[in-house]
Structure formats: C-alpha cells, structure tokens
Amino acid sequence: MKIVSADVIVTCPGRNYVTLKITTEDGITGLGDATLNGRELSVVSYLRDHLCPMLIGRDASRIGDTWQYLYRGAYWRRGPVTMTAIAAVDCALWDIAGKAAGMPVYKLLGGQAREGVTIYGHANGQTIDELLEDVQRFLDQGYRAVRVQAAVPGLESTYGLHGSDTGKTYEPADAALPTENVWDTSAYLDFAPKLMSAVREQFGFGFQLLHDVHHRLSPLEAAQLGRSLEPYRMFWIEDPTPAEDQDSFRLIRQHTTTPLAVGEVFSSIFDCQHLITNRLIDYIRTSVSHTGGITHLRRVFDLAALYGVRTGSHGAGDLSPVSFASALQLDLTVPNFGIQEYMGHLEPASEVFKTNYTFADGYMHPGEAPGLGVDIDEEAAARYPYQPRSLPVNRLRDGTMHDW
Ligand code: EZ4
Ligand code: CO
C-alpha cells in the first residue's frame, strides 16, 4: 500500500483550515487536520516543503514507523509546528488503515468502550441573563455539560465571547494584525463566582459546569478562584495559569478541590509528564491534531490513566471536522475518557467537510463509515481561499503584555 501523493489543502470556510490528503497506489485517500490557528502557513510549509516529499513511496500501513521517522528524523524535537504536521500525517494514515480494513478507526483502536462521547458546548453572553439563555439552549438540545463564559463588567472585551447567531463562540480573529484586549484580574475574580452562582441558582446541579480561565492568573490567584468556585461544583476550571512553570500547580492544589484541566497548547507527552505524574491536574486537554496524532495522543492518555488523570481534549472551532472526528474515534476507545470539547464549525465548513458523526442525548458518536469518517470537497474548499488572521493579544491596563 504505497503512498503515491501527499497534498495540502488550505481553505477558509469561516476560518482557516489546513488539511493533508494522502493517496495510496490503490486509490485510497486519507485526511489529517494540520491547522495551527494564527500560524497556519508555517505548518503548510513544513508539510509541503519537508514531509510530503518524504512520504512518497512509503508503505501507508507502517503508521508507527512513519511517526518515528518523522519525529526522530527531524532531529529538532517537539514544538507545535512539527507536532501538528506529524499529527496530520498520522491521522491520514489511520484514515487509510480504516478504509483499507473497511472499519471505522475506533474499531482498529480496540473498539468502543462506551456508547457515546460526552461533549460539552460553549455557552456565552454579554450579560449574565444572556448567558443563562444560552445555557438553556444547550440544555434544551440535550447537552449534559456546558462551558460558560460571560463578559467581565468593566472590560471592553472578554475571552470566549463573540456571539454569532449559531450561538457558537469564536475569537475575534479577523485581521492579520492581532486585536488588542485589556485584562483586569480583580474585576474577573470578583465576577467569576457571581457568574457560577447565577448558573447553579437557575439550573441546579444536574449538568456538568465548565469554565476556561485561558491562562490569565498567577498560581495564587488561581487558588483563590478555585476556592471561590467550590460551592458551584465545577467539572473543571481550565488553564487557570500558564503551564510553563508546572510545579506552581502544587500551590493551586494545596488550596482548592476545584478540578483542573490543562494542556491545549501542549504538543507532546513530555509537556504533560510532570503535571500527570505528580498528579497536579485532573484532566489532560491535549488534542489529536496538535499533539502528534492518534498514535502519540494514545500514549499521553495511557500515561494519564496510570495516574488517575482523565481525558478532556481540546475541540475548538479552529480544529477542523477532520480533527474532531479523529478525537471522537480515540475518545470512544480509551478507558480514562473524561469529556470532549465541541465548539462546532461555522456553517460554510459543512460545504467543505462531509462528516458522519452524530449527536444524541449529549453524546457524540463518530459513525460507522470506514476510516475517520470525514471527506473533503476540494472544489468547495477552493471557493474559500486562505485569509490571514491572528489570535488577539492581551495587555494589562497599564499596557504590560499579558497572556491572552
Ligand atoms: O482559544 O483554540 O478551550 N478552548 C480554547 C480555544 C482557544 C483556541 C485558540 O486557537 O481555549 O478557544
Ligand atoms: Co481553552
């Protein structure tokens, strides 16, 4: 099953997606998501200029060996660009393996370990009332878990808000130059418990409640936040503090029982090792498309399982439907599955990506189509050319750069 071509498709149906398409000599095609939001073209080049030529003539069924060849063969280790490119190759090869076997990838990974994958949606609002209405919409659809974000009073813009009529949350990432946001930790720490209190008062405790802090706090502030949210029994708070200084999570842990989820910006098992083996987090957020593909993410999840850490993969709208389908295939099989983020995709994406996953009762299922279960319509993709866009940056009131 020799690889005869490897092509990169760049498209912007609502937001930019980079997709790798590998074709074998018998005409089987496999897809992998290679989207790195705000830095898309660096992965395009990594693939087109470096990895694609190496793939031609290789045996598509040698998934693990190809992973090692690309990882060790780079000499330069890890990092989001490298690991996203390798992930795209890996997922495309799993897609091909599934199609060759006539099975969905989850069956190749050991078969389903649960009936469906619990997902959480993104509710948001400019005010608490607007947020409550949005939460209601998710509960009405059958969601069992909802992430809530609302505008912090006194700040001009808040992460996680950007109402569209679909109720999905997209960052205001519309220009090549980053927009500049202003952050105020005190205003946020005052507001967060009021927000969660309003949600629990209105809807009770019959669903899981999540919240993303998006790397904004110091460890001590994160400890204060975790404590203040304990009455509302959060499923997790996410990225309470940037995770470069991993030992600092000990301090958060010492002060609060609010569960912690970290890892959406990590790209390898080595980034997770300290947090997991020291039991400093409860959920690992690494994603299939930014962490080396199914082959590598499975190792992360296995390491996590040894330490009682459960999975909670990143599933924002800037990860394509190919990525989301890959995540579902793996989520369905692992023993320590926790939850899966699902932000959905803007409407034009459904013209480009044809998916098979289904939602019912709060659960997603990847479907029974062989492989990952996603096809790409390249003509539709060509109708939505790449648009340069950046993620926002964040500053304190005095202008100091902060984490966004
Ligand atoms: O800001 O994926 O939990 N989800 C998130 C996302 C990230 C984006 C960055 O590209 O934090 O919304
Ligand atoms: Co996040």
Side-chain angles (χ1 to χ4, degrees):
M1 213 170 44
K2 272 202 178 119
I3 294 171
V4 293
S5 66
D7 303 298
V8 182
I9 302 157
V10 186
T11 180
C12 187
R15 57 193 317 158
N16 289 314
Y17 297 114
V18 177
T19 308
L20 175 68
K21 178 179 154 192
I22 295 178
T23 307
T24 68
E25 58 192 339
D26 23 16
I28 301 180
T29 58
L31 299 180
D33 180 25
T35 310
L36 187 61
N37 195 13
R39 295 293 183 268
E40 295 89 355
L41 298 185
S42 56
V43 188
V44 174
S45 163
Y46 198 109
L47 286 166
R48 275 192 187 143
D49 298 333
H50 303 288
L51 300 198
C52 291
M54 291 179 197
L55 294 174
I56 310 303
R58 291 186 69 83
D59 180 350
S61 67
R62 294 183 61 164
I63 302 176
D65 181 61
T66 299
W67 197 97
Q68 296 292 335
Y69 182 79
L70 299 179
Y71 181 81
R72 292 172 195 268
Y75 182 68
W76 311 107
R77 304 268 168 142
R78 302 154 62 182
V81 176
T82 296
M83 297 303 277
T84 300
I86 295 175
V89 175
D90 186 76
C91 290
L93 295 183
W94 277 104
D95 195 16
I96 289 170
K99 288 177 180 172
M103 288 182 199
V105 168
Y106 78 80
K107 289 197 175 163
L108 302 185
L109 297 173
Q112 68 185 74
R114 54 195 52 80
E115 299 311 313
V117 171
T118 305
I119 55 163
Y120 70 90
H122 284 201
N124 64 90
Q126 286 297 336
T127 61
I128 289 184
D129 281 347
E130 229 180 84
L131 180 267
L132 295 176
E133 273 174 38
D134 211 23
V135 172
Q136 183 67 59
R137 290 192 322 107
F138 281 96
L139 298 178
D140 288 347
Q141 291 170 61
Y143 277 79
R144 295 162 187 274
V146 184
R147 185 188 98 158
V148 302
Q149 312 286 143
V152 176
L155 294 187
E156 246 182 56
S157 63
T158 303
Y159 161 79
L161 303 188
H162 185 55
S164 70
D165 49 9
T166 61
K168 290 167 188 159
T169 313
Y170 291 93
E171 284 75 48
D174 294 328
L177 262 189
T179 52
E180 304 238 347
N181 296 350
V182 175
W183 175 251
D184 182 330
T185 297
S186 285
Y188 171 74
L189 289 177
D190 283 347
F191 177 64
K194 292 178 189 149
L195 173 62
M196 300 312 158
S197 162
V199 173
R200 286 306 196 193
E201 199 168 301
Q202 174 100 353
F203 300 107
F205 286 76
F207 67 102
Q208 305 291 1
L209 181 57
L210 299 85
H211 177 67
D212 193 347
V213 188
H214 223 263
H215 322 271
R216 306 289 166 89
L217 302 178
S218 73
L220 201 64
E221 291 158 357
Q224 291 167 359
L225 174 72
R227 254 193 190 185
S228 71
L229 298 186
E230 279 170 21
Y232 315 113
R233 209 192 319 133
M234 307 298 295
F235 187 81
W236 75 37
I237 55 172
E238 176 182 335
D239 291 327
T241 189
E244 283 100 339
D245 178 7
Q246 301 200 339
D247 233 21
S248 73
F249 279 76
R250 282 185 203 286
L251 189 146
I252 310 175
R253 278 293 210 223
Q254 280 160 9
H255 293 285
T256 182
T257 56
T258 294
L260 304 175
V262 175
E264 70 180 44
V265 302
F266 293 174
S267 48
S268 79
I269 195 168
F270 305 105
D271 304 325
C272 314
Q273 185 175 13
H274 186 80
L275 289 177
I276 289 174
T277 61
N278 288 281
R279 298 183 165 87
L280 297 176
I281 56 172
D282 301 281
Y283 296 90
I284 185 70
R285 296 255 312 136
T286 39
S287 72
V288 70
S289 56
H290 295 154
T291 318
I294 289 171
T295 298
H296 193 65
L297 192 59
R298 191 150 63 139
R299 295 198 205 298
V300 174
F301 287 176
D302 278 342
L303 177 69
L306 292 179
Y307 295 89
V309 173
R310 294 197 287 156
T311 75
S313 280
H314 191 205
D318 49 272
L319 288 85
S320 88
V322 178
S323 174
F324 186 68
S326 308
L328 290 178
Q329 301 280 354
L330 185 57
D331 289 338
L332 200 59
T333 67
V334 297
N336 54 327
F337 172 74
I339 204 163
Q340 170 68 51
E341 183 179 27
Y342 176 64
M343 195 164 153
H345 300 91
L346 287 171
E347 207 283 310
S350 65
E351 290 172 40
V352 175
F353 297 100
K354 306 296 172 190
T355 61
N356 279 282
Y357 41 81
T358 52
F359 174 79
D361 256 355
Y363 304 116
M364 283 270 188
H365 193 285
E368 301 303 331
L372 296 173
V374 183
D375 283 330
I376 190 163
D377 178 337
E378 293 184 55
E379 279 175 20
R383 289 201 295 273
Y384 297 100
Y386 168 77
Q387 291 178 30
R389 288 182 178 177
S390 278
L391 283 161
V393 298
N394 217 8
R395 293 185 190 275
L396 303 181
R397 288 202 190 277
D398 70 359
T400 307
M401 277 295 296
H402 196 61
D403 299 283
W404 178 70

